[in-house]
Amino acid sequence: MMKYIFLLFIGCLFSCGAQNSLYNNLDEAPIDGGLQMDDYWVWGSSVIKGDDGLYHMYASRWPKMLPFHPGWMVASEIVHATSKTPEGPYQFQDIALGDRGTQYWDGKSCHNPKIVKYKDTYILYYMGSTHPFEDVTEENLSDFDLSSKWCIAARWGKRIGIATSKNPNGPWKRQNEPILEVEPNSYYSFLTSNPSPLIKEDGSVVLLFKGRSYKEDGVSQSDMSIGVATAPSFDGDYTVIGDEPLFSMERFGEVEDPHLWSDNAGYHMIAKDQRGLITGGKGDGLVAHSENGIDWVIDENPRAYTKKVKWNNGKTIKQGQLERPFVFVENGKPTHIFFATMDGPGGFSNGTKTWNMVIPLKK
């Protein structure tokens, strides 16, 4: 663990000079690309090309009757949409993972999907949670907020799991237990969330995840940390590497939404710089690279994107939110970056619309 922490520090010291290849190659975003759904908040997408030649997107959605935050904690489901092109627009097909009852660890909320494939199996990584109470409806909506009984239970229960299928259209087989539990007296003693897997050629897995810990009062929770776990296979035992996180407020800065990918140049990571302590811009994207998926070096010029998006209608708009970056790779080369985005001036309570957008990379 200390080896790659040192490498991260060295990488941060040299954040000057020309920008990285992602930042320099962001093209215009199609205004009709990605996925939008009436009457739903739509968030965080992950895309894979199927043997049918279609592009299959998996994304989170929950009813707009609920506030965006924390509505996802109690009512998010993972939907499946398809397109003939990576840009879209994507058309809704079905619910991949939905409500299956409070008795399951992921019974009431499935969120933040990441789709990967190994040999003939599609693996859908996601965050799941549940709560033991009645559903939130228009009748009791006034009682629903981050400090309500629903959210206290749902947030405490956040864990990482997988579902598998031989076909991108499903059906999906879900497990009755999460793959990554919390650990007392660790930086992930309270929850595990936001999985980002990288499956190597031998089938072994590197998994980045978000963790929060209990503070000394035993009630409140820490800021976000990003940790690393490995497994011999996607359905094997996952083991967290080391006792210290890869990123935290004490180590380089708070980071969220990491995404891993591999291409002809090696292993890479993109993530949101929550407070701008690494890139210099709050909410901007950062990039890092690795030779083995475990020891990481922040790129010499870490900024991968900003909230300012150039659209193909000639407008450049600073998005209210720009999160959950997902780099799509085809034929060994990154071709598109997908984002969850929101309109408005910024802040989850100030937007009226969310959707999953896509920015092509210049060829």
Side-chain angles (χ1 to χ4, degrees), residues 71-308:
W72 60 272
M73 286 189 187
V74 298
S76 180
E77 58 189 7
I78 295 174
V79 297
H80 167 226
T82 60
S83 171
K84 293 182 179 179
T85 66
E87 290 88 353
Y90 285 78
Q91 302 298 320
F92 170 79
Q93 298 299 324
D94 52 69
I95 298 173
L97 302 178
D99 186 329
R100 63 170 177 165
T102 58
Q103 70 269 34
Y104 292 98
W105 69 273
D106 59 348
K108 303 304 291 184
S109 179
C110 296
H111 197 61
N112 287 349
K114 286 290 177 70
I115 185 70
V116 291
K117 185 182 182 184
Y118 184 68
K119 294 185 176 179
D120 66 345
T121 303
Y122 292 88
I123 307 107
L124 192 55
Y125 286 76
Y126 64 101
M127 180 226 81
S129 187
T130 192
H131 64 79
F133 309 111
E134 70 275 16
D135 288 339
V136 181
T137 64
E138 292 183 355
E139 286 69 33
N140 59 18
L141 185 59
S142 60
D143 298 325
F144 178 70
D145 59 27
L146 197 58
S147 62
S148 64
K149 61 183 180 181
W150 294 279
C151 292
I152 291 173
R155 197 176 199 185
W156 175 84
K158 288 168 64 176
R159 301 290 186 271
I160 293 170
I162 61 172
T164 57
S165 177
K166 298 297 183 181
N167 191 305
N169 299 299
W172 295 91
K173 181 180 180 181
R174 293 156 78 165
Q175 297 186 347
N176 290 334
E177 299 292 339
I179 62 169
L180 194 62
E181 270 288 359
V182 295
E183 180 69 25
N185 301 316
S186 73
Y187 64 87
Y188 54 100
S189 61
F190 180 65
L191 61 78
T192 64
S193 183
N194 294 28
S196 183
L198 178 69
I199 299 185
K200 299 183 178 182
E201 291 184 3
D202 63 0
S204 62
V205 183
V206 173
L207 181 74
L208 295 192
F209 68 95
K210 181 174 84 173
R212 289 185 188 270
S213 64
Y214 283 102
K215 291 185 177 179
E216 290 184 0
D217 61 12
V219 178
S220 55
Q221 300 87 50
S222 69
D223 295 316
M224 297 178 292
S225 296
I226 302 300
V228 185
T230 61
S233 63
F234 69 83
D235 56 355
D237 293 331
Y238 287 76
T239 303
V240 175
I241 304 300
D243 298 324
E244 300 293 338
L246 177 62
F247 290 95
S248 68
M249 278 302 297
E250 295 73 33
R251 292 176 178 270
F252 315 110
E254 191 177 35
V255 165
E256 191 177 20
D257 298 341
H259 171 69
L260 301 182
W261 81 94
S262 62
D263 57 28
N264 292 336
Y267 300 122
H268 310 274
M269 171 175 57
I270 190 170
K272 184 183 73 168
D273 187 358
Q274 185 78 0
R275 307 185 188 222
L277 298 179
I278 298 171
T279 62
K282 183 179 179 180
D284 289 355
L286 67 90
V287 282
H289 59 277
S290 173
E291 293 184 357
N292 57 14
I294 296 177
D295 302 307
W296 290 91
V297 181
I298 293 178
D299 278 26
E300 183 177 340
N301 296 277
R303 182 175 289 158
Y305 61 85
T306 72
K307 290 182 181 179
K308 288 186 177 180

